Amino acid sequence: MRDVFIIDAVRTPRGRGKAGKGALSGLHPQELLAQTLNQVAARTGIEKKDVEDVVVGCVTQAGEQGACVARNAVLAAGWPYEVTGVTVNRFCGSGLQAVNFAGFGIAAGHQELTIGGGVESMSRVPMGSDGAMLDGNNLTLRKKLTMVPQGISADLIATLEGFGRADVDRFALESQKRCAVAVAEKRFLRSLFPVTDENGKVLLAADELPRADTTLEGLGQLKASFVDMGAAKLGPNGETLDEIARKGYPQVAAIEHVHSAGNSSGIVDGAAVVLLASKDYATAHGLKPRARLRATATAGAEPVIMLTAPGPASLKALRLAGMKPSDIDLWEINEAFAVVPLLTMRQLELDPGRVNVNGGAIALGHPLGATGAVLLGTALDELERRGLATALVTLCIGGGMGIATILERV
């Protein structure tokens, strides 16, 4: 197996994912990704024709994000026809999985220069636009196993683990505070570029979602988001969704609904890409690697509770790398819901001071298929800023999966 080097990582700002209201909502997702591709090419000076594949994560592959958004973005960017593209879907882990897949070709000796990344325009292609639900509307599967919306799963985890509303709100406030410091100190500028319209007018130059004025009191006043959903009788036999979620957890008398709009990830638009190369290609073309992929892994978990696999995936990647959790300098644990990083930190006995040091998706938003690639770039930038060596990026995934990637500076 050959080393896989990260040459560069770039991303768009994250715009509010509301139709007609977010700054990026007027831009087709293919164009959003196309600008990102052209940015990484311009920054590194690569020959576009040398890119052997563009692997792109996208969760809601319908409408404008259907028809292989990866290939169409390559064409929209004006790249040579010879450059191919493929779109992958591992739900919220799609962007990181795309980077890993792009790296596998290099590691195996089949490719020399690839791109992995992701895109999601949640303002133009809202969640659920594909009409598939988590189970693909397979009624036979649903009789065997009825999955519930992720917010109910998050509240079930919180109930089982004893995380109350105060715990998740405090975590959310810390995410906003850390993000505010990162913005004030311009920590995100290395990866960011301003997105423009077709006339070159800047649409968005900075992340649109963070709220530096967030307070604990304000968070506490927000209504729990999944109370009514949990009480809905949508089960195959007329059960409520809460009752379905509790079936495998008889110790839970009732689910305590603690997650709100303030302590869950924000809905946003965004794109990100990571340029990968072999050592031979980088040397021959004068490219200076910033880091290498040390190990990658996925892990599965019980699919109703759904969001518990970042810990197992991280441990699997660490074993492959011959490392333990304390060897990792910085962690990026996607803040799909506050309970996910709280649980992962508890499982792996992590120092909170090393986790999501610049805030996370609660403050910045979660552009589904792009988030994993965004987090990898964020981790790399912060490793360089602090002069540290290793980072681990992990995300929870629908259907009961987790993904993890370890990167090491070179």
Side-chain angles (χ1 to χ4, degrees):
M1 299 290 288
R2 301 190 302 174
D3 280 335
V4 180
F5 290 103
I6 299 172
I7 304 302
D8 208 358
V10 300
R11 70 170 178 92
T12 70
R14 281 165 274 196
R16 289 185 178 277
K18 294 185 178 181
K21 296 182 179 180
L24 300 180
S25 63
L27 196 64
H28 196 289
Q30 293 175 13
E31 300 297 331
L32 192 63
L33 181 55
Q35 289 192 33
T36 315
L37 289 169
N38 281 331
Q39 279 290 321
V40 80
R43 291 187 184 196
T44 58
I46 59 166
E47 289 283 350
K48 297 172 185 176
K49 64 179 178 58
D50 288 352
V51 176
E52 294 175 81
D53 207 4
V54 177
V55 187
V56 172
C58 184
V59 174
T60 309
Q61 296 182 31
E64 293 179 344
Q65 291 181 167
C68 193
V69 67
R71 171 60 174 172
N72 285 329
V74 169
L75 298 176
W79 284 31
Y81 296 152
E82 291 77 11
V83 180
T84 57
V86 61
T87 310
V88 302
N89 183 3
R90 199 190 286 277
F91 296 131
C92 296
S94 298
L96 192 58
Q97 186 64 73
V99 174
N100 294 348
F101 278 163
F104 291 168
I106 293 172
H110 296 169
Q111 296 169 322
E112 302 296 329
L113 186 70
T114 60
I115 288 175
V119 65
E120 205 82 35
S121 178
M122 301 181 76
S123 63
R124 298 173 70 99
V125 190
M127 286 186 294
S129 295
D130 57 3
M133 306 297 287
L134 280 167
D135 58 15
N137 292 316
N138 181 349
L139 299 183
T140 302
L141 173 60
R142 198 170 296 173
K143 290 176 183 178
K144 300 175 183 176
L145 176 74
T146 301
M147 287 181 274
V148 297
Q150 290 187 3
I152 296 174
S153 301
D155 287 339
L156 174 59
I157 295 169
T159 303
L160 285 164
E161 295 290 332
F163 293 117
R165 178 63 183 263
D167 298 309
V168 292
D169 279 352
R170 279 195 297 268
F171 183 89
L173 179 62
E174 187 65 19
S175 181
Q176 293 284 359
K177 286 182 174 180
R178 292 182 179 189
C179 176
V181 172
V183 171
E185 295 184 356
K186 301 181 179 180
R187 297 182 187 178
F188 297 134
L189 291 188
R190 170 85 190 248
S191 294
L192 271 178
F193 71 91
V195 175
T196 62
D197 65 14
E198 60 183 4
N199 299 314
K201 178 184 176 182
V202 173
L203 296 174
L204 188 64
D207 295 303
E208 198 172 18
L209 200 68
R211 295 191 58 173
D213 60 349
T214 299
T215 64
L216 197 59
E217 293 74 20
L219 288 169
Q221 292 171 8
L222 296 174
K223 179 183 176 182
S225 299
F226 304 102
V227 175
D228 294 340
M229 186 181 292
K233 295 182 178 181
L234 298 178
N237 299 309
E239 312 99 320
T240 68
L241 292 179
D242 274 2
E243 288 170 341
I244 292 169
R246 289 170 39 224
K247 277 185 178 179
Y249 304 90
Q251 67 271 42
V252 176
I255 293 176
E256 182 183 357
H257 290 285
V258 298
H259 286 94
S260 69
N263 55 45
S264 306
S265 56
I267 295 173
V268 291
D269 304 333
V273 298
V274 180
L275 180 66
L276 304 171
S278 68
K279 180 179 180 180
D280 289 346
Y281 185 92
T283 300
H285 293 83
L287 298 175
K288 184 179 180 181
R290 298 175 62 191
R292 70 182 179 105
L293 298 182
R294 181 81 178 264
T296 73
T298 57
E302 194 275 302
V304 175
I305 204 166
M306 196 178 308
L307 310 174
T308 58
S314 298
L315 289 174
K316 194 173 178 181
L318 288 164
R319 285 195 296 270
L320 288 170
M323 304 173 74
K324 54 187 182 296
S326 59
D327 294 328
I328 298 297
D329 295 317
L330 294 176
W331 292 74
E332 287 289 338
I333 305 171
N334 188 38
E335 297 174 1
F337 302 92
V339 77
V340 176
L342 284 171
L343 174 64
T344 307
M345 286 190 288
R346 174 179 287 179
Q347 288 175 327
L348 304 184
E349 299 180 347
L350 303 181
D351 174 2
R354 295 186 178 192
V355 177
N356 300 1
V357 295
N358 291 326
I362 289 171
L364 290 153
H366 175 20
L368 301 185
T371 301
V374 171
L375 294 182
L376 190 147
T378 298
L380 178 54
D381 289 347
E382 191 62 17
L383 284 177
E384 291 177 342
R385 194 186 75 83
R386 296 185 179 217
L388 299 174
T390 58
L392 190 150
V393 178
T394 184
L395 300 92
C396 62
I397 302 172
M401 295 184 286
I403 187 169
T405 297
I406 299 171
L407 59 150
E408 181 179 46
R409 285 181 61 208
V410 295

